[in-house]
Each structure stands twice: as C-alpha cells, then as structure tokens.
Amino acid sequence: MAEIFHYVLTASFYATITGLVIILIKGVLKNRLSAKWHYLIWIVMVLKLLIPFGPESAVSLFNTVPEVPRQNMSGIANQMEQRHEASWEAGNSLPYQPPAQQQAEAFKTAAMIESLLPYAWAAGAALTMLCLVFTCYSLHRKLRRGSPVQDERILHIFDVCKVKMGLDRSTDISLIIQDSVGTPSLFGLRSPKILLSPAVLNLSDKELEYILLHELAHYKRKDVPVNYLLLVLQTVHWFNPVIWYCFRRIRQDMEVATDELVLSVLESTEYKDYGRALLAALEGFAAPELAPKLLGMVDDRKNIERRINMIKMADFFKSRRRLALVIGLLCLAVLGPVLLTDGLAGRNPSSGFAGYNAEALFKYKTAYVGDNSRVVNLISNLPYAAQRRAVSLQTQSAPYGVTVDYDFSGVNLDIRQVEAALRDNAVIMFALIDNVDVITFNVKGADQPSAYQYQYSRDEVQKSYDNDLREYAKDINALETLLKSLAFRLHVYPEKYALIMSSTPGIRIAAEYRGSATKARYATESGTLLTWEVTTGKVSKNLSTIELPLDTPVYWSPVAPAGQLPADSQSQVTVTLLDAQGQRIDEKQVTIVYDGLMYYTVQPGMGMVIGEETLYLNQKPGDMDSAAGMAIKSRSYAYGAGETVTEGHIILDSEENNGTVKVYTIASIGIFGFENGIFTKVSGSGAIPTVMIFSKDENGAYSLLDYKEPQDGAGYVDSLKKMFPGKLQDRVLSSQGDYADLARQQEAQAAEYLKGIGRAAEVSAAHVARKLPDINVDASNKLFFGYNTKYDAFLNNCPYWLGTRERIENGVRYIYETSQDKTVDGYELIVFRKTREDGAVVEERRYKIAGSEPQLIENAEN
C-alpha cells in the first residue's frame, strides 16, 4: 500500500507542476491557439498522471524540481536509532547528539500518522469511487422514467445532423426525453444517449439542430471515454485541488473544442444563430443534484462568455488553420521533452568503494538478524558504506531478512561494478549472520534510469560454495579464506554451451582479481583454448595452455585441434593467477560436464559468477587510442541491445599530469544487429564531444577514471565551454560534421565482426528501409504498440515492419519475422514468426485484421 501511495503522490506532484505550466502556456498564447489545440495540449498532463516517470533529459523541467522523497519518518527514526546503537557498540563518538525523549516520541507519533496516510488515501479514493458509481446508478434509474423520442420532426432533424457530422444514420445513439437533467447532455459508454428535456419540443428546428450537432460532436470526438478517464483520475487524486481545477479547465476546453467542430460543419452565416442557441440553452440550465459530470450543451455560465468569443473568432481560425496547426504541434513538441522526462542524475566521480577487512568484519559476527547493533555495524564496514541509507530488518518470522537502501546518485559507477560488490556483500552477510535467509539491496542511481533491486537468498548463494557459508566465519582464518576467494573471481558465460551456437566460439572464462596479479594462465587437458576479439571476430589458434593479461577472456571449446570431441563426460580448465615475476598467487578450476547429447554445462564453484552475458572486466589497454575506444564501448549499457558494439572516435588533444591523462575526443558508439538481412546500426549515438580522464600506471596501462559528455538542450554550449579549452571550442561546436567519419569506423569494425563469424552481409550505419504493414491504423497500433504487445516478449522482439530482425538469446541466433498475407476469406493477415538459423520454427502467431481489431488465429489455417 505504501508503494502505491508513493507512486500516486509522485504522479500527483509532477502532474501538478505540469498542469500549472500548461495553464501558464495557455495564458501566454491565448488566441494564438485554436480551441482544438487549447484542449489537446492537456494530454501532456494526463500522460504525466498516468506515467510520472520518463527518460532522463537535460531539458527536463524536473532537473530543477526535487523528487518526492521515499524515506519516511519511521525510516528516519529507525536509521537514527540504528546509527546511535551501532556507534555506541563500536565505541565511536556520534556526529550528532542523541534526541531527547520528547523528540523520540515526536518521531514515533509522526511515523504513526505517516503510516496511516496510505490507508486514508485509499479510503478517500474508495469513497469517491463509491459516490461516482452511486450517482451513475442513480441517474440510470431516473432515466428509466424517460421515454425515447417518437416525434418524427425531431427524428428527421437528428438524421440530418448525423449526416452533417459525418456519421452513419444507423449510428447507435438514442434520444431520450427526461426531466432529470436540465440541459441537453450526452451520457453512456456502451449505449450512448442524448438526454433532452421536455422544453426542447418547443424549440425551432434550427435551435434543435444546433443542440443535436453539439452532442454528436462530443460523440465523434470520443469525449465520453475521456470524461470517464478524468473521473477515474480525479478519484485517485481526490486530495489534490490543483488536479481538480485543471480537470475543470480541461472540460471547459473540451466544450469549446466541441463548438469548434460544430462550427466547422455550419455555414459562416449560422455562427450567430449557434451562439444564440447556446444562450437559449443557458436559460434553462439546471445541474442535476445527483449525477456524474455530463457532457452537455452548456457547462457553466462563466465559460459561456469564452465560448461566444470563440464563435466570433471562428472565421479567423479557419483562415489560419495551418498556422494554428503549426503552433499546436510546436507546443506539444516543446512540452513533451520538457514535462514528460525526468531530470538527470548527478555524475560526480566518486566510487566510495572500500575493500574488506577480516578483523573489522569478524567482530560483528552474530547469530541473529535481530541483533540490530551488530548487523548495522557489519553493513557499515562493507564496501559502499558511504552510499548506504536506510536499513530495515525482518525479524518477526521466517524467512528472516535484511534490506539495505543505497543511493549512488552523483557517483560515477558502472552498475555492473555495483552489482558485483553487492553480491560479495551478500555472501559475507550470509556467512556472518547465522539466521538470515534473504538479503535485499535497493539501489538508486549508478547511471540507471530507475531504481533497481537485487535480492539474494541463502539457498541460491550457497550453491556456489562447497561448505556451508557459516563455516567460513567460524574463525578469523576461515573468514580470510572466504574474502580471498571473493578477491579472485571467475566470470563464465554461457552456463550451457552447444556447438550449434554461432554467437560464441566456446565457453568464455575471464579471471578478475583485486590485488597485484598481472596475468592468468589457462590450461585444459581436453578440448582447446582460444581467444576471440568480439569486435573484429578474429580467433586465435587452438591451444591447450595460454597466458593472457588479467581480465582478458579465454574461450574453451570441446573440439580438439585434430577435430575430435573429448571422450570423457567431464572437462576441466585450470586458471592460475600469476604476479609480475610469473609466480603463482592462487588457482581455481572450472568444471564442464557434457550431457552426452548436445550441451556442455558449467558446474558452479566458489568465487565463480556464471551466466553474466556482459562482464565487468577491468581491462587496461596500453595505448591512448585503444583506451579511448574501450571507454566509449563501456557506455553501451545505456543504449539498446544488439549483436556487437562498435565505436568511432577522433582524438583532438590530450593533457598528462602526474599520472593522470585528460583526453579530448569526438566520440560515437554504435550497436549493430541484423535487420532485413543488413548488418546495421540498431542503436547508438551521433558525434558527441567527450572528455575522458585516465590514470596511467608505471607500465603505461590506462584505467578510466571519468567520462564526461556535454549537457543536452539549452545547456549544451555552456557545458562544452567548461569541458574543452578555448582552442578546441570552435572545433567541437561543429562536431556533427565528423559523424560520417565516425560511422565509417563503426562500419569497419562491424565488417570485421562479420568476417570473424564467417558471415557475408551488407554493413551500413544508416537506417534500413522499412515497409509498414498495410492495415487499419487502429489495428496496427493495437498489434504493434498496444499495452499487451509491449509486455509480450515474443511480439516485442518481432519487427513492427514487414521484414526480419535477428537476436542472439543464450548464445543461439534466432530470426524474428513479420509478414503480411491474406486469409482465405479475404481479410489481411499479419504473421509473426521466430525461427532458428536452420529454418526450424520456434514460435508463430497469426492475426486476422477484422476492421480495427486484430484477432489471434488459434490454428495454423488461414
């Protein structure tokens, strides 16, 4: 409930700001916007209510707006108490004075009130919804007393109005004479009704025509479902008066836009008569005492004056229709990026990582999660303690758990580095806290657009260790052994390998070590070892033993140099860490078991990370050009997925000072994949002026310290001037002219990759031509961009155009295809198909396009 309430609060807060900005824009533009566009720009606020979170952008208004805090009073009070107890236990002095008893009681009272707020909101929403349902039901009952219109005159006028409004005469809308609603209104979703009071029988034909045209305009514009959406959102945000005020303005704009549509089907000589009809309807206006908000000819007296003025300006807007369209689209183009995006997270370089100290950790060993002081102190001595926020303990019943919140906003870290350290932290906590079953880390920041959660269970983590994790904390020496194993980690991917996989030449193994090792020796008695440069596709000779720089991956293949497969069902790769003199530091084994049919499976082991497709490897190239290229590729996680990562860069200048190198570049990243048989750039960036800062060790190896790009939007030029020296500023301001060169570099790397996997194809960084399905627009939107499609993995992977897209999943290449055909009864047919490289169909779905509705065909026949 608290999470839902926080989401609603966030949406309400951001939508309030959005609504106020829209009101300001509307006030500035006034008569420069047509009635239609005054109404349409409200869609930005409605979208913000439905989806408060968007992509980060430098032009977002919310860069200057604080976010809605997640930490509640209970969390603050609990955290203060935990820190106090932890410091007391450790004998450390507190950085603040402990609160007095009165302050503690105040925190508890505030926490209790705050804990009740979600339930108060839910009760208010339920009561508001109940009132809405009751009023709808009450109006339905009253309308039963009404009677359908039988008057031939009125029915004839109604048919004429339908034709004028571009509706079919058979459109299912009924006319009801009733005395419950005092103004002509449109009511109902499934079977819409136009409600007329008995007084309309005395109106002239023209006045009656205007009334019916207005209500039919509401129907044609789909205003009834929009009105119900507003009612539901008002129910959810019942506590926010600004939202209610904005919705009132939306309904007023809806009426004016409806008038505009009516005027578009009338002659200009009829405009005054239509205005008089509005005034005549106003005279008999009476809001029902108990009814939902209806769409009527007259809304309120204050808005009538504005509507009359708009009628006077109808000819003005008709003559400037294109200008009104341009201004309206421009408003949406500006408001969308500014209001539908999130602010940028900070990027100040600071890792906050600290190593493990066995003595400091061991003294906080405890048998119980409920030992608040020791648990919090233990966490405070783990890496990233500076980024730790609240800690909560689940001690009431099994499974017992610890939840830690981390905030990496303003810290320049790769999320993979964070994830690796947090997994190690979980291992240590499982070893030192005897009865903890589940450990959860909530992570914010670290270059991620939204919060992440990492959860580890004891049973899951235990699978990678031979002994019970608690055995590694029985004494200080055992704990040091565990910490040593965490310092030496093997990254292995994929967990299961088969010779049919074209995306990798074997099982990838890479050694990572937090220490002074410089290289690793890999050895196997069966199968072979080789190296493979992913970006170029170059494969080394098959060897049984190979030494490589630390963090450089090796690939194990079951195929021996002579082409035969191993006779044994089990193979082993021994990985030995070596120092600068070639002396052994540590050693681990990777055991691979063959199932006798197809797959070679990696057995889990201590200090082994299996199944991570993207490894965090601390590679240190020995020249500036390679270092820049590797740094650019390391940003690939921020872009869409593809088959290989390429980059292009131009080094403009560099500065070296005390082992630190600042490199000024123009950089571009390109992720390539197959679309319609062309190996093309499916994701990436343009030419971006970039400043990289490296450390340079005594061996001349570069390690990335910081990676800076200019701000988007209005701050672009100012940020460039701060990043680059004056002599380079003119050059980087025209950097887009370098994109063609950068794209050629990327295409060359992509071509090398194709050569490495033995495939010939056209390579192009330009967009591939795409032919869209020729079907009903509404059906197309539902099928390719609808809610269900978005969360359907198969449909989401199929192209939205007629053609193919290839994806590699768990090392196997699949081809996703979308095609169009005809059913036997003449309807359009859209076919989605997933096949393997050998043509075997893995999954297929067929949709018959019947009007605006795509219908899934269950059997294989058309």
Side-chain angles (χ1 to χ4, degrees):
M1 182 67 74
E3 285 296 316
I4 297 174
F5 182 55
H6 182 270
Y7 186 91
V8 170
L9 274 182
T10 302
S12 200
F13 175 64
Y14 291 154
T16 295
I17 295 172
T18 302
L20 294 175
V21 171
I22 290 174
I23 290 172
L24 177 64
I25 295 295
K26 283 162 55 65
V28 171
L29 293 175
K30 289 185 180 177
N31 294 334
R32 294 178 180 85
L33 271 181
S34 67
K36 175 183 176 181
W37 284 103
H38 266 289
Y39 171 64
L40 283 179
I41 61 175
W42 284 110
I43 193 174
V44 177
M45 177 188 168
V46 174
L47 287 174
K48 199 66 179 177
L49 276 173
L50 296 171
I51 312 171
F53 306 106
E56 289 183 5
S57 172
V59 301
S60 174
L61 176 67
F62 299 101
N63 282 304
T64 60
V65 176
E67 66 175 343
V68 179
R70 277 189 174 271
Q71 183 128 342
N72 52 30
M73 294 299 297
S74 177
I76 294 171
N78 186 44
Q79 188 175 346
M80 290 176 64
E81 182 181 358
Q82 289 174 348
R83 287 182 179 178
H84 171 60
E85 292 183 4
S87 299
W88 184 273
E89 179 74 19
N92 299 331
S93 59
L94 287 168
Y96 55 84
Q97 292 297 319
Q101 183 65 30
Q102 293 86 348
Q103 291 175 300
E105 290 299 323
F107 272 119
K108 289 180 182 179
T109 303
M112 182 185 69
I113 295 173
E114 194 172 50
S115 67
L116 296 176
L117 286 179
Y119 299 98
W121 161 76
L127 182 61
T128 308
M129 180 60 74
L130 186 63
C131 290
L132 177 61
V133 172
F134 177 73
T135 53
C136 285
Y137 173 73
S138 175
L139 182 58
H140 268 291
R141 290 194 59 186
K142 289 180 180 179
L143 293 179
R144 289 177 186 171
R145 300 196 298 267
S147 58
V149 171
Q150 303 294 334
D151 191 309
E152 290 295 332
R153 178 180 73 96
I154 297 177
L155 292 176
H156 173 70
I157 294 172
F158 191 38
D159 285 340
V160 171
C161 290
K162 287 181 181 178
V163 174
K164 274 193 175 184
M165 196 51 67
L167 299 172
D168 193 273
R169 289 175 182 264
S170 61
T171 302
D172 183 22
I173 306 177
S174 56
L175 295 176
I176 303 294
I177 299 294
Q178 46 75 53
D179 56 6
S180 300
V181 181
T183 185
S185 303
L186 182 65
F187 177 69
L189 272 175
R190 294 180 59 185
S191 300
K193 304 173 180 64
I194 295 178
L195 310 181
L196 302 173
S197 65
V200 301
L201 299 175
N202 301 321
L203 296 176
S204 68
D205 288 359
K206 272 298 178 183
E207 288 175 326
L208 188 57
E209 179 184 332
Y210 297 146
I211 288 173
L212 295 177
L213 281 174
H214 184 90
E215 301 311 321
L216 288 173
H218 275 305
Y219 174 81
K220 185 173 182 179
R221 285 166 35 82
K222 305 292 190 295
D223 286 339
V224 172
V226 172
N227 185 50
Y228 277 102
L229 174 61
L230 297 182
L231 288 171
V232 171
L233 290 174
Q234 276 184 266
T235 298
V236 174
H237 299 274
W238 60 268
F239 55 87
N240 190 333
V242 178
I243 299 296
W244 281 63
Y245 173 74
C246 289
F247 281 8
R248 180 185 174 194
R249 294 284 299 268
I250 293 175
R251 291 190 177 96
Q252 290 175 348
D253 288 338
M254 180 189 292
E255 292 299 329
V256 181
T258 303
D259 289 337
E260 185 181 64
L261 179 57
V262 173
L263 295 176
S264 70
V265 302
L266 296 178
E267 298 295 332
S268 59
T269 55
E270 298 181 88
Y271 293 172
K272 287 184 180 180
D273 294 334
Y274 180 72
R276 292 190 189 100
L278 276 182
L279 295 174
L282 178 62
E283 291 178 3
F285 174 69
E289 294 181 359
L290 195 63
K293 184 66 179 175
L294 301 174
L295 300 179
M297 178 79 173
V298 181
D299 47 357
D300 61 57
R301 297 175 184 271
K302 293 182 179 180
N303 198 38
I304 286 293
E305 182 179 352
R306 178 183 169 215
R307 293 169 66 181
I308 295 297
N309 289 333
M310 191 282 299
I311 292 171
K312 293 178 182 178
M313 297 183 65
D315 285 328
F316 172 83
F317 282 114
K318 268 190 176 181
S319 64
R320 292 164 174 79
R321 188 172 299 170
R322 289 186 179 179
L323 179 61
L325 175 64
V326 170
I327 295 175
L329 290 174
L330 186 61
C331 281
L332 287 181
V334 171
L335 291 176
V338 171
L339 297 175
L340 295 179
T341 53
D342 286 348
L344 294 171
R347 280 162 172 72
N348 299 322
S350 171
S351 71
F353 182 87
Y356 298 110
N357 184 314
E359 291 185 4
L361 293 170
F362 188 74
K363 67 180 180 181
Y364 298 117
K365 173 176 162 50
T366 178
Y368 305 105
V369 170
D371 191 343
N372 187 315
S373 172
R374 288 182 178 271
V375 170
V376 174
N377 252 310
L378 171 60
I379 297 168
S380 297
N381 280 275
L382 293 173
Y384 302 126
Q387 283 72 44
R388 178 178 68 79
R389 298 299 178 258
V391 176
S392 57
L393 310 177
Q394 163 54 29
T395 61
Q396 299 300 316
S397 60
Y400 301 112
V402 177
T403 300
V404 188
D405 293 345
Y406 288 93
D407 187 350
F408 291 94
S409 300
V411 178
N412 188 16
L413 283 176
D414 190 313
I415 191 63
R416 294 164 292 183
Q417 179 182 355
V418 172
E419 183 177 1
L422 293 183
R423 182 180 176 86
D424 290 349
N425 288 358
V427 171
I428 294 168
M429 292 168 68
F430 282 127
L432 291 169
I433 307 172
D434 287 356
N435 75 331
V436 67
D437 300 306
V438 179
I439 295 171
T440 303
F441 299 115
N442 295 319
V443 176
K444 175 186 174 185
D447 272 347
Q448 296 302 299
S450 58
Y452 269 52
Q453 184 180 85
Y454 300 98
Q455 190 170 81
Y456 305 96
S457 69
R458 180 179 289 275
D459 291 341
E460 171 210 349
V461 175
Q462 184 64 64
K463 292 177 183 178
S464 297
Y465 295 86
D466 299 328
N467 302 323
D468 189 304
L469 281 168
R470 286 164 284 222
E471 288 294 311
Y472 295 105
K474 63 183 180 181
D475 54 44
I476 191 72
N477 292 328
L479 182 59
E480 285 180 342
T481 300
L482 176 63
L483 297 181
K484 186 178 179 181
S485 76
L486 296 177
F488 179 17
R489 185 197 311 270
L490 294 179
H491 295 271
V492 185
Y493 175 85
E495 182 179 6
K496 290 180 178 292
Y497 171 72
L499 290 171
I500 63 170
M501 294 181 178
S502 63
S503 61
T504 177
I507 295 175
R508 178 174 57 187
I509 306 170
E512 179 190 6
Y513 184 65
R514 296 177 188 148
S516 58
T518 59
K519 55 185 176 179
R521 179 193 299 131
Y522 300 86
T524 183
E525 294 181 358
S526 58
T528 54
L529 300 172
L530 51 91
T531 60
W532 182 48
E533 174 52 52
V534 164
T535 56
T536 65
K538 293 180 180 178
V539 178
S540 70
K541 293 181 179 179
N542 297 336
L543 301 168
S544 59
T545 302
I546 187 171
E547 289 188 7
L548 296 169
L550 196 65
D551 303 328
T552 302
V554 70
Y555 292 80
W556 177 86
S557 170
V559 182
Q564 74 274 21
L565 295 174
D568 298 334
S569 61
Q570 183 169 297
S571 302
Q572 198 168 67
V573 178
T574 301
V575 184
T576 307
L577 285 178
L578 304 173
D579 62 17
Q581 288 73 42
Q583 299 298 310
R584 178 186 179 278
I585 298 175
D586 202 350
E587 190 171 273
K588 287 182 184 294
Q589 282 78 36
V590 178
T591 301
I592 303 162
V593 177
Y594 181 50
D595 65 2
L597 297 173
M598 179 182 292
Y599 286 102
Y600 295 83
T601 304
V602 179
Q603 297 296 103
M606 187 172 178
M608 188 182 300
V609 181
I610 302 174
E612 291 188 358
E613 186 169 359
T614 305
L615 304 179
Y616 175 72
L617 299 175
N618 233 351
Q619 299 185 44
K620 298 180 181 180
D623 64 274
M624 186 185 299
D625 198 60
S626 299
M630 188 172 294
I632 297 167
K633 289 179 182 178
S634 73
R635 318 304 288 182
S636 62
Y637 63 86
Y639 297 90
E643 189 165 329
T644 190
V645 180
T646 68
E647 58 82 25
H649 67 270
I650 300 170
I651 296 179
L652 304 176
D653 200 359
S654 64
E655 301 171 358
E656 186 168 351
N657 185 26
N658 295 327
T660 300
V661 182
K662 181 181 285 190
V663 183
Y664 300 101
T665 70
I666 296 173
S668 177
I669 189 168
I671 292 89
F672 278 71
F674 281 100
E675 290 184 351
N676 294 352
I678 299 172
F679 202 50
T680 186
K681 185 173 177 177
V682 296
S683 181
S685 71
I688 303 177
T690 305
V691 177
M692 307 173 201
I693 301 176
F694 299 93
S695 65
K696 188 176 180 182
D697 62 23
E698 62 277 5
N699 298 319
Y702 291 81
S703 297
L704 183 66
L705 297 177
D706 198 13
Y707 190 99
K708 295 181 180 179
E709 295 179 349
Q711 295 180 11
D712 292 333
Y716 182 80
V717 174
D718 288 341
S719 62
L720 272 184
K721 290 180 179 179
K722 292 178 182 178
M723 291 169 54
F724 287 85
K727 64 181 181 179
L728 296 177
Q729 289 177 8
D730 289 341
R731 176 72 174 82
V732 296
L733 284 170
S734 59
S735 60
Q736 287 307 314
D738 295 302
Y739 180 71
D741 182 18
L742 302 177
R744 282 192 291 270
Q745 295 181 41
Q746 295 170 24
E747 288 173 343
Q749 295 169 26
E752 283 296 315
Y753 169 82
L754 289 184
K755 188 186 298 183
I757 64 173
R759 180 162 174 179
E762 178 185 346
V763 177
S764 173
H767 290 291
V768 173
R770 296 166 176 170
K771 181 182 178 183
L772 299 179
D774 184 15
I775 59 175
N776 177 277
V777 174
D778 289 338
S780 178
N781 289 337
K782 292 174 183 177
L783 193 56
F784 292 99
F785 308 106
Y787 179 86
N788 293 332
T789 304
K790 181 178 179 182
Y791 295 100
D792 186 310
F794 170 67
L795 290 180
N796 203 31
N797 284 335
C798 290
Y800 62 84
W801 65 90
L802 299 179
T804 61
R805 162 193 286 162
E806 299 183 21
R807 292 179 64 89
I808 294 174
E809 300 167 5
N810 296 321
V812 179
R813 183 183 299 278
Y814 294 99
I815 302 166
Y816 289 87
E817 180 181 10
T818 302
S819 61
Q820 184 172 354
D821 204 343
K822 291 278 189 181
T823 63
V824 292
D825 50 358
Y827 286 96
E828 296 298 329
L829 178 71
I830 300 297
V831 181
F832 300 102
R833 185 178 293 116
K834 175 183 179 181
T835 61
R836 288 197 296 265
E837 286 183 282
D838 59 6
V841 177
V842 177
E843 185 172 356
E844 180 177 289
R845 289 192 218 167
R846 295 167 174 252
Y847 287 87
K848 172 182 176 180
I849 309 302
S852 63
E853 290 296 328
Q855 299 174 1
L856 178 63
I857 300 176
E858 298 295 343
N859 53 47
E861 297 180 2
N862 289 356

